[in-house]
Amino acid sequence: MNIAYLNSNDFSFFSGAQEQLDHLIRQLQSEEQANCEHGDIESFINKKGQEILRRLLQGWLDLKAANEEKSACINLASGDKLNHVRVDTHRPLNSLFGQVTVSRIGYSQINKDSVFPVDAELNLSTNSYSDGIYFRVSNEAVRGSFDDVVESIDATTGGHVPKRQCLNIVKDVAVDFESFYQKKRFIKPEDTSDLLVLTFDGKGIVMRPDGLRECTKKNAQKSKKLKSRLSQGEKKDRKRMAQVAAVYTVQPHIRTAESIMKVSEDDNVVPFRTPVRNKRVWASVEREAQSVIEEAFQEALQRDPKQKREWVILIDGLPHQIKLIKKVMKRLNVKATIVMDFIHVLEYLWKAAWCFFDKGDEAVEQWIAEKSVNILNGQCSQVAKGLRISATKGKITDRKNIDKCADYLLNNKERLQYGKALGAGFPIASGVIEGACRHLINDRLDITGARWSLQGAEAVLKLRSLKSSGDFEKYWKFYKKMSKKRNYDFLEVNNFG
């Protein structure tokens, strides 16, 4: 290496990293390391190499501090001037490589907080953690428990973040979720005539007592709890419902009732449906269900503002949810076809079937297939009537599930027009939203022993939603821009560029 470069002012800031590298190389050349297995050496380099990286970052920060120009004063956006100058002030920064120190010039005035222009230039957070830590914690927290996050950071980086701070970081990163999507992610409407599908569902999350809705909290307080174990029904009164929504585009997929149920071997196999695209999924446990439902419609209107495409709404039949959807549709003047998830219809049909058949009777499958084909052909009223007649003729005493199934079919007959739906190529099963519930909630928030605060659950849901929708990288840039505005907007732009 050029000796003159080694002795230059700029390189001198990185001499500590050079010394650490030379020391590491000497250790690798020693007899002590000569007979080690490659895995031991790999682990050794990874551990010692973190110190080299830490010193490189420290050297860059020291170089920046040395080049910072001292001003007589700085101006605030409010018009105030800060002319009390302090040089060589310090703040710690916990990075992926370990702790470093940021040296900078501070400006203050009587009854005014100190201001550090370099903090704004670097866009440092208000706490002591670096962007790398923020990004890594956010990615790890959406995959596993916060205990796992702490362990992963400790094992694979030179940094350390306590469990509570991990949660605070996730809350901080998730703060711009609504603003990000309000910026109209789709700048132009989608140039397609394919179906625009909206689908909704709800999923309970076990909460801490202070995170429950008032009605649930009252029920939990009334219930008689055992000291040594959960009381019967106690888990029910420990959950708060999260509203899950999804919007996506998909090509029409025309098929027949017979091909879906495969009643006989002669029935044609249904061609594979093309994958959905431009899918966005998200959930909220903090906001009201109507707010999330309306947000989904606003997302759909961005994609198809003139409503030229066929809109399909897939639901599971929850009466309150249907009421909210119709309310939002009326307010936004939206026209759409509401389709009930056929899988839920099958669940009611199977429960009714066991009133007619003994457990293990193979004939039940043929009976289910025939009734399902009739329902899929738009004959739900006839099936409901037939179920009740068969129950009466068969003198079935335990017919509760039969009547429930019949009532369900009749009460939802306007949303069970599967004959028209299949002919138009509409989806009739809510696999997308069911998968969203599993991925967004079950796989992370429903892990054994988890009890969530309202803000913690909401933050994790937002980050998982961004990941599932493929928007996290774009969101991160947006978050950093908004974070700088929040933390340093009081400075005039010409103070720090």
Side-chain angles (χ1 to χ4, degrees):
M1 185 177 291
N2 189 294
I3 299 298
Y5 182 61
L6 278 171
N7 294 325
S8 68
N9 289 334
D10 283 352
F11 188 81
S12 65
F13 293 103
F14 301 99
S15 59
Q18 181 67 54
E19 290 173 5
Q20 180 68 15
L21 176 61
D22 293 341
H23 177 65
L24 177 58
I25 292 173
R26 287 194 297 271
Q27 286 183 297
L28 292 172
Q29 293 172 332
S30 67
E31 292 184 8
E32 181 182 354
Q33 307 293 344
N35 297 320
C36 291
E37 294 182 356
H38 86 278
D40 297 327
I41 296 299
E42 188 176 35
S43 178
F44 175 76
I45 292 174
N46 181 59
K47 184 177 180 180
K48 297 296 183 180
Q50 293 291 343
E51 178 60 16
I52 299 175
L53 299 176
R54 191 196 70 79
R55 293 189 183 190
L56 283 172
L57 178 57
Q58 183 65 69
W60 182 84
L61 290 170
D62 291 343
L63 175 60
K64 187 167 186 66
N67 291 331
E68 184 183 7
E69 295 183 2
K70 179 181 175 182
S71 300
C73 69
I74 63 169
N75 303 315
L76 301 182
S78 62
D80 295 325
K81 291 186 177 182
L82 307 181
N83 55 18
H84 181 243
V85 185
R86 290 184 298 151
V87 298
D88 203 26
T89 62
H90 307 283
R91 66 171 286 180
L93 181 66
N94 294 295
S95 76
L96 288 173
F97 319 125
Q99 188 176 96
V100 292
T101 300
V102 182
S103 301
R104 70 271 205 257
I105 299 173
Y107 298 83
S108 62
Q109 189 56 270
I110 298 174
N111 298 325
K112 298 288 182 182
D113 293 332
S114 296
V115 171
F116 308 93
V118 165
D119 288 6
E121 287 183 38
L122 297 176
N123 197 8
L124 299 178
S125 64
T126 55
N127 57 37
S128 63
Y129 296 102
S130 70
D131 271 7
I133 289 290
Y134 261 59
F135 191 82
R136 180 66 183 273
V137 167
S138 299
N139 274 280
E140 294 289 339
V142 300
R143 297 191 184 103
S145 70
F146 287 108
D147 287 326
D148 291 339
V149 176
V150 173
E151 183 179 344
S152 177
I153 297 293
D154 287 346
T156 60
T157 75
H160 172 73
V161 188
K163 183 177 178 179
R164 183 176 293 276
Q165 294 305 316
C166 287
L167 176 58
N168 290 337
I169 286 173
V170 169
K171 290 178 182 178
D172 190 13
V173 173
V175 73
D176 294 309
F177 180 85
E178 282 85 10
S179 299
F180 173 71
Y181 282 109
Q182 286 171 3
K183 295 295 182 181
K184 294 190 176 181
R185 188 166 57 105
F186 294 93
I187 300 174
K188 296 181 180 179
E190 292 179 303
D191 185 17
T192 180
S193 59
D194 290 344
L195 302 175
L196 183 56
V197 184
L198 299 84
T199 178
F200 307 95
D201 203 354
K203 185 69 180 177
I205 299 174
V206 178
M207 307 295 291
R208 294 174 182 170
D210 57 354
L212 297 171
R213 287 188 168 91
E214 284 303 316
C215 57
T216 312
K217 192 184 298 184
K218 289 179 181 178
N219 290 335
Q221 291 171 348
K222 290 178 183 178
S223 63
K224 296 180 180 179
K225 300 181 181 180
L226 301 175
K227 293 181 179 180
S228 58
R229 58 163 293 173
L230 291 178
S231 305
Q232 184 177 2
E234 185 181 345
K235 187 174 183 180
K236 177 184 176 182
D237 294 328
R238 293 167 61 215
K239 287 189 174 184
R240 180 179 175 123
M241 290 299 293
Q243 180 65 52
V244 187
V247 181
Y248 60 90
T249 296
V250 69
Q251 291 182 2
H253 183 53
I254 299 172
R255 58 261 194 240
T256 65
E258 289 76 13
S259 62
I260 290 175
M261 296 309 301
K262 202 76 170 61
V263 176
S264 68
E265 294 297 326
D266 297 330
D267 293 326
N268 296 325
V269 177
V270 183
F272 182 72
R273 176 188 283 278
T274 55
V276 304
R277 62 185 191 277
N278 290 344
K279 180 179 69 172
R280 181 194 165 195
V281 298
W282 71 103
S284 177
V285 69
E286 185 175 33
R287 292 184 291 153
E288 295 299 323
Q290 182 174 336
S291 175
V292 178
I293 291 171
E294 183 164 337
E295 187 178 349
F297 277 93
Q298 294 291 356
E299 170 86 12
L301 284 169
Q302 289 179 27
R303 304 182 185 206
D304 184 26
K306 296 183 179 180
Q307 299 185 50
K308 293 182 178 180
R309 298 159 61 184
E310 193 76 53
W311 288 33
V312 181
I313 301 173
L314 264 176
I315 55 175
D316 62 6
L318 188 66
H320 179 63
Q321 187 184 76
I322 296 172
K323 182 180 178 181
L324 293 178
I325 289 171
K326 288 186 173 181
K327 182 178 179 180
V328 173
M329 288 176 64
K330 182 178 180 180
R331 196 179 71 77
L332 297 177
N333 195 25
V334 168
K335 293 182 179 180
T337 302
I338 301 178
V339 179
M340 196 79 77
D341 177 23
F342 182 62
I343 303 302
H344 283 77
V345 177
L346 277 178
E347 290 176 2
Y348 278 90
L349 204 55
W350 271 103
K351 289 178 181 178
W354 296 123
C355 297
F356 294 107
F357 296 89
D358 295 328
K359 295 292 183 181
D361 192 338
E362 295 181 358
V364 69
E365 291 191 82
Q366 183 64 27
W367 184 89
I368 288 287
E370 291 173 357
K371 300 299 180 187
S372 298
V373 166
N374 290 337
I375 294 173
L376 288 170
N377 281 323
Q379 301 171 12
C380 60
S381 297
Q382 294 89 323
V383 171
K385 182 179 179 180
L387 288 175
R388 286 198 169 111
I389 291 174
S390 297
T392 302
K393 287 184 176 180
K395 297 181 179 179
I396 296 176
T397 54
D398 186 10
R399 53 179 290 167
K400 180 175 67 174
N401 285 332
I402 296 173
D403 291 327
K404 275 188 177 181
C405 181
D407 289 341
Y408 182 84
L409 294 174
L410 293 173
N411 292 338
N412 295 287
K413 61 182 179 181
E414 66 175 290
R415 292 174 287 275
L416 298 179
Q417 301 298 315
Y418 293 123
K420 295 179 182 178
L422 295 177
F426 295 171
I428 62 169
S430 57
V432 170
I433 198 67
E434 294 291 341
C437 286
R438 287 193 298 271
H439 176 70
L440 294 180
I441 298 176
N442 291 19
D443 293 350
R444 176 62 181 94
L445 283 85
D446 201 28
I447 57 179
T448 303
R451 288 198 311 159
W452 293 89
S453 67
L454 186 57
Q455 293 77 19
E458 183 74 1
V460 171
L461 278 176
K462 286 176 178 177
L463 295 190
R464 285 183 71 84
S465 297
L466 287 161
K467 281 284 188 180
S468 297
S469 302
D471 289 332
F472 187 79
E473 299 293 335
K474 292 179 182 177
Y475 174 79
W476 178 258
K477 294 178 181 178
F478 178 80
Y479 161 72
K480 289 307 302 175
K481 180 180 178 181
M482 297 301 292
S483 180
K484 187 169 188 176
K485 185 176 181 180
R486 271 192 301 274
N487 296 333
Y488 302 107
D489 201 36
F490 57 85
L491 277 170
E492 282 191 356
V493 174
N494 58 10
N495 282 324
F496 57 90

